[in-house]
Amino acid sequence: MNQLKQQILNLQSQSQPLEPNEAQRAAYLNKVNTYANSFLNSIETTKAFCSDKETPHVFKLTNNTKSIEEILELYANEVAAKGINAASGGHLGYIPGGGIYTSSLADYLVDVTNEYTGMYFSCPGGVAIEHELLNWMKSIFKFPESAIGNLASGGSIANLIALTAARDKHGIKNAIIEKSVIYTSPQVHHCIQKALRIIGLEDVQIRYLKLDVYSRIITADLEEKIKKDKEKGLNPFTVIASAGTTDTGAIDPLQDIGNIAKANNLWYHIDAAYGGFFILVDKVKERFKGIEMADSLVIDPHKGLFLPYGLGAVLVKDKEAVYHSNHYRANYMQDAIDDAMPVNPADVSPELTKHFRSLRLWLPLQLHGIDPFIACLEEKLLLTQYFREALKRIGFKLGPQPDLSVSYFWWPTNNNNDNAFNEKLMEEIHNDGEIFLSSTLINEKFVIRMAILSFRTKLTTIDKAISMIQKILNKMNN
Ligand SMILES: Cc1ncc(COP(=O)(O)O)c(C=O)c1O
């Protein structure tokens, strides 16, 4: 017995570093805080992109431990300094993320307390916070109180949860998969196609709809395609609209699509991961008319509410459709189950154990109120106009007036060589890196995209982008 006790005590002392004492914690925190401050204090002058693609081998795990100083140095040089600086206001590519500081404080708290928020039983307060946020979103998007929702890791998983519910509501199983049809925009985010494959719907028929010059779905095409498919004996079951496509920020005609969905008994899903929270801005609210008609809706706080990566939300009106695949009971969970309790997040998502991610949204909302978020969203819309006007003055061609804060432009050449010239321009912009932009293809045309969504993107950022582009253009044209 003594020997056993001794072995346990030996192991206890070996594992002691896993529980630093208060002085050690303070020392760690101090170093991390110093680094975080130097990162944030220099963010305005740090480049938004570093094209160094060398794979760092410096992260190889070895038996030699490193000090916190060494680890922070590696982090600064090999993680934060390379690729896209996603915390920078100069990130105007893809869909920029955010990274508001007060969310990181929430993450720190939830990691220290390690609350288990998959089940109401284990953390009623944490789950109540998730429900409060979902109820708040339901009220913003005029969803009924009876709708169910989940805070997922991002838009991809949120979309996956919604499409699974659509599949189960319409009973799309093996025998009818190949006959079943989904309608959507060719600009739909690729996480939709990914989700369909993951949930066993790879072989459904996807009808990509025609778009107008604003890249919005043409509803007459939707109606015609549904009609033809029905005549052929196929099984139309879902239509997916976007409230802010990734390519161009287009908002599909949500209300008209909603009416068509209703008339044809289709599940109506809206991916508003990028654009959804712009509904809070009075002057563009109208553009979201019809969003309340969706059966399921995805909105991403780590995009439109400027949170650090790791928070997407899904709302679904039909609780049973979501429960069909996600609600499970097991003997070892018997103490934690009481059907009279509020909904368990684990019953609405493939995740059981989950990061307590609701606090990273609730804490900043409580601390700052919603107004600074709305102001920031409106600022992004105006900055988009400001950027477009400046580009036009320089001589760029612009894509159509955008619905939100994504737009595109290209340099017109005299010799029908637009694509090659703009590809080169993109490359030079990336080599410079002061501001990061990305590109896309619109009707086979290579165009440069601006996506303005970071809370750190300010007037000075856009002025910097304009000077950088002008400088590169001068170099290329000489
Ligand atoms: C419209 C849209 N939907 C879905 C996604 C996927 O979201 P996530 O990257 O959070 O998984 C994105 C990402 O940019 C998006 O823009």
Side-chain angles (χ1 to χ4, degrees):
M1 186 60 185
N2 276 347
Q3 200 192 351
L4 177 62
K5 259 187 168 175
Q6 197 47 53
Q7 274 179 341
I8 293 171
L9 290 173
N10 285 347
L11 292 170
Q12 182 176 309
S13 88
Q14 280 176 46
S15 64
Q16 189 281 326
L18 301 183
E19 188 66 285
N21 62 30
E22 188 170 348
Q24 289 163 326
R25 292 197 299 269
Y28 285 149
L29 208 49
N30 187 26
K31 302 271 187 246
V32 170
N33 199 30
T34 303
Y35 167 69
N37 279 330
S38 81
F39 177 84
L40 290 178
N41 292 341
S42 59
I43 193 138
E44 272 190 41
T45 49
T46 311
K47 288 197 169 201
F49 182 60
C50 165
S51 58
D52 181 352
K53 294 196 187 72
E54 207 170 301
T55 318
H57 296 293
V58 285
F59 300 113
K60 192 152 182 54
L61 286 170
T62 67
N63 287 332
N64 301 327
T65 58
K66 288 184 171 32
S67 68
I68 191 79
E69 289 87 346
E70 287 171 310
I71 291 170
L72 287 170
E73 195 182 328
L74 261 185
Y75 189 87
N77 296 335
E78 302 294 342
V79 181
K82 292 188 178 171
I84 300 173
N85 182 352
S88 160
H91 177 14
L92 311 180
Y94 307 113
I95 297 295
I100 51 176
Y101 180 74
T102 48
S103 272
S104 75
L105 302 179
D107 281 349
Y108 176 68
L109 269 181
V110 309
D111 283 2
V112 169
T113 60
N114 199 27
E115 293 290 351
Y116 189 98
T117 50
M119 305 293 289
Y120 183 81
F121 170 83
S122 64
C123 184
V127 174
I129 291 176
E130 175 154 351
H131 284 309
E132 176 57 25
L133 290 169
L134 291 166
N135 288 337
W136 174 67
M137 292 180 208
K138 284 182 216 168
S139 70
I140 293 175
F141 294 98
K142 296 202 178 71
F143 263 49
E145 277 174 27
S146 57
I148 200 168
N150 192 256
L151 296 183
S153 58
S156 300
I157 301 302
N159 273 301
L160 184 136
I161 292 171
L163 295 175
T164 307
R167 178 197 68 186
D168 295 343
K169 177 73 182 177
H170 283 259
I172 310 299
K173 298 196 177 168
N174 281 354
I176 57 166
I177 287 178
E178 289 182 8
K179 282 177 61 185
S180 298
V181 194
I182 292 179
Y183 304 84
T184 192
S185 161
Q187 284 197 3
V188 77
H189 191 271
H190 73 271
C191 72
I192 296 286
Q193 288 95 337
K194 243 173 95 167
L196 292 174
R197 288 185 194 172
I198 293 168
I199 64 172
L201 297 188
E202 179 172 2
D203 293 330
V204 294
Q205 312 211 17
I206 304 182
R207 301 269 181 266
Y208 291 106
L209 302 164
K210 290 183 190 152
L211 305 183
D212 66 15
V213 286
Y214 298 97
S215 302
R216 302 176 193 139
I217 286 173
I218 297 176
T219 48
D221 188 44
L222 171 62
E223 276 183 305
E224 202 178 303
K225 286 196 162 87
I226 295 172
K227 189 163 166 270
K228 275 195 189 146
D229 286 335
K230 282 187 174 170
E231 281 164 9
K232 281 192 252 168
L234 298 177
N235 176 39
F237 79 102
T238 291
V239 57
I240 304 171
S242 308
T245 59
T246 314
D247 263 333
T248 63
I251 303 180
D252 289 321
L254 303 179
Q255 194 167 36
D256 292 349
I257 296 175
N259 287 331
I260 297 169
K262 207 164 172 198
N264 290 280
N265 187 32
L266 306 186
W267 182 279
Y268 185 21
H269 175 62
I270 300 181
D271 179 4
Y274 149 63
F277 283 109
F278 280 102
I279 199 174
L280 294 168
V281 179
D282 278 342
K283 66 173 172 209
V284 290
K285 211 181 212 68
E286 271 298 291
R287 296 182 192 163
F288 292 87
K289 216 165 153 194
I291 203 163
E292 70 287 349
M293 298 172 82
D295 292 296
S296 52
L297 174 69
V298 165
I299 39 220
D300 270 6
H302 72 189
K303 297 183 176 72
L305 291 178
F306 320 115
L307 257 55
Y309 293 130
L311 189 56
V314 58
L315 301 176
V316 184
K317 285 183 183 156
D318 190 320
K319 179 174 166 183
E320 294 314 315
V322 179
Y323 268 23
H324 184 89
S325 283
N326 294 297
H327 183 273
Y328 256 87
R329 294 292 176 247
N331 291 344
Y332 51 77
M333 289 164 74
Q334 62 186 4
D335 312 324
I337 302 302
D338 175 351
D339 285 331
M341 282 182 190
V343 168
N344 291 308
D347 288 332
V348 191
S349 153
E351 288 181 293
L352 173 56
T353 304
K354 70 189 279 182
H355 185 250
F356 177 9
R357 49 181 79 100
S358 53
L359 198 72
R360 66 210 316 266
L361 175 55
W362 185 86
L363 184 146
L365 282 175
Q366 276 293 260
L367 211 50
H368 314 304
I370 187 68
D371 289 347
F373 291 87
I374 300 177
C376 212
L377 285 165
E378 186 168 354
E379 180 195 31
K380 304 307 140 215
L381 295 171
L382 299 185
L383 288 174
T384 309
Q385 294 309 324
Y386 180 81
F387 199 177
R388 279 170 57 89
E389 283 170 22
L391 288 165
K392 193 172 171 195
R393 279 195 299 276
I394 295 175
F396 279 97
K397 293 280 181 206
L398 302 178
Q401 180 64 27
D403 284 332
L404 297 170
S405 67
V406 176
S407 180
Y408 59 93
F409 58 95
W410 67 98
W411 185 256
T413 55
N414 297 328
N415 49 1
N416 256 349
N417 209 11
D418 287 9
N419 278 11
F421 187 92
N422 285 285
E423 271 176 55
K424 179 73 185 149
L425 177 60
M426 185 79 273
E427 196 183 314
E428 292 295 332
I429 290 172
H430 286 170
N431 287 341
D432 183 295
E434 187 165 15
I435 301 293
F436 180 75
L437 294 152
S438 60
S439 67
T440 189
L441 289 176
I442 302 288
N443 300 327
E444 306 300 315
K445 188 160 195 72
F446 185 99
V447 296
I448 300 179
R449 282 172 75 252
M450 60 167 97
I452 302 183
L453 196 62
S454 165
F455 71 107
R456 291 200 176 100
T457 305
K458 301 287 162 201
L459 210 49
T460 48
T461 327
I462 303 300
D463 285 339
K464 234 193 250 181
I466 296 160
S467 320
M468 180 193 79
I469 292 170
Q470 181 76 74
K471 182 185 75 185
I472 294 171
L473 205 56
N474 291 346
K475 200 174 91 185
M476 285 176 67
N477 280 331
N478 283 330

